[in-house]
Structure formats: C-alpha cells, structure tokens
Amino acid sequence: MRIITGQYKGRHFEIPRSFKARPTTDFAKENIFNVLMGYIDFDGATALDLFSGTGSISLELLSRGCSRVVSVESDRDHHAFITQCLKKLGSDRCVPLRTDVFRFIKSCRAQFDFIFADPPYALAELPQIPDLIFERRLLTEGGVFVFEHGKNQDFSASEHFVEHRSYGSVNFSIFR
C-alpha cells in the first residue's frame, strides 16, 4: 500500500497477508482523487473514513493536507495496523477509532467536509449507508461523500447523488 501524493508521497506500508480487508487499488484511488480535485480542497479539510480497513484512504487524506481525519474500523488487527502506520508517519491529525461504523454514525455529533466509506461489498446494510450519512447530517454544507461499492449497486436515484465513477471492479458514487 502506498501514499500517492502530498506530504507523505511515496511512503509504502506492508499489509499483513492475514488481513481480510481489500485496500482500494492504487489505480482506483489515484483516479478518484483526481476527480475529487474538482470538488474539494483537502488542505485544512476535516475528513471521516468509514470502514477504514488498511487505513489507505486515511493516510492519503492526511498526506493531502486534511487538518483532521477520523478513521473508523471495527477489526482489532486492522485498527492496530492503522495506529502503527500513523505512528510511523508521526501524525497526530488522525483519530483511529475501533468501533462499529453504524454505532459511530448513530452517536456522532461532528460534521465533516469529506466522508469516504468503503464497506464490505456483501454487507447487508450497504444500501442504507448514503441515507444514514445525510439523515445524521454528518456532511458539512458543500461537503463531499464518496461511497465505494460493487457494480450491482446504483445510487443515482438519491437526491444527493452527483456522479458515478468506475475503475475496473471498483465503483464510486459521489454525493453532495
């Protein structure tokens, strides 16, 4: 796993083979961040990374200048890996939380300029996540929500939907 650009550009982190998480591919990550440059300036933004997995997106957000990133991951080993990566970077701008994403969404009182969610594609509650983000008002006015999902999901009917991008088997829906 590598950081594509910004302050920590080129840094690599070796993901343990035992991990169940599939990090967003470098190809897909680079392309979606290129698209996002037209939507948001990450410098100084606050961000939320849901279903953080390996922490790849959280680290990329830090590298691109986010002032604060909250990384939510329920798996103990994945959370420990994210914490270890943050220590290697020496960054204190990321808060790695080990908790259930739905419990976090329900209790969160903060708002974020940018939210990224990459749930397991087979997650039964996956279709409800965009609605939960907007019902709980987790996004600031003008903020951007990127949702990574499988090819069989279509969120274009959502009132907050802006566009869909596909990079190989990786699909992103962008909401505002």
Side-chain angles (χ1 to χ4, degrees), residues 39-41 45-46 109-115 133-134 136-145 160 162 175-176:
Y39 285 98
I40 186 168
D41 179 3
T46 57
R109 301 291 178 249
Q111 287 190 315
F112 301 89
D113 301 312
F114 180 75
I115 300 173
I133 297 296
F134 289 99
R136 301 298 303 171
R137 299 176 196 231
L138 297 182
L139 204 58
T140 60
E141 187 173 328
V144 177
F145 169 46
H160 302 284
V162 177
F175 302 85
R176 290 198 100 161

Side-chain angles (χ1 to χ4, degrees), residues 68-167:
R68 181 170 173 257
V69 178
V70 176
S71 177
V72 181
E73 174 55 48
S74 63
D75 184 275
R76 177 180 43 101
D77 294 335
H78 297 182
H79 175 266
F81 179 76
I82 294 166
T83 302
Q84 178 186 35
C85 291
L86 291 168
K87 284 181 183 172
K88 286 180 182 176
L89 292 180
S91 178
D92 62 354
R93 294 178 290 128
C94 183
V95 178
L97 300 177
R98 182 176 167 232
T99 188
D100 175 76
V101 166
F102 295 100
R103 187 174 297 138
F104 174 83
I105 289 172
K106 186 177 180 181
S107 65
C108 182
R109 301 291 178 249
Q111 287 190 315
F112 301 89
D113 301 312
F114 180 75
I115 300 173
F116 186 93
D118 179 11
Y121 291 178
L123 185 70
E125 300 89 350
L126 184 142
Q128 297 138 16
I129 294 171
D131 289 339
L132 287 172
I133 297 296
F134 289 99
E135 286 170 10
R136 301 298 303 171
R137 299 176 196 231
L138 297 182
L139 204 58
T140 60
E141 187 173 328
V144 177
F145 169 46
V146 173
F147 191 48
E148 184 174 334
H149 55 84
K151 65 181 178 183
N152 296 328
Q153 281 88 30
D154 178 7
F155 296 96
S156 61
S158 168
E159 68 179 288
H160 302 284
F161 178 83
V162 177
E163 69 173 294
H164 173 262
R165 294 289 177 125
S166 179
Y167 305 104

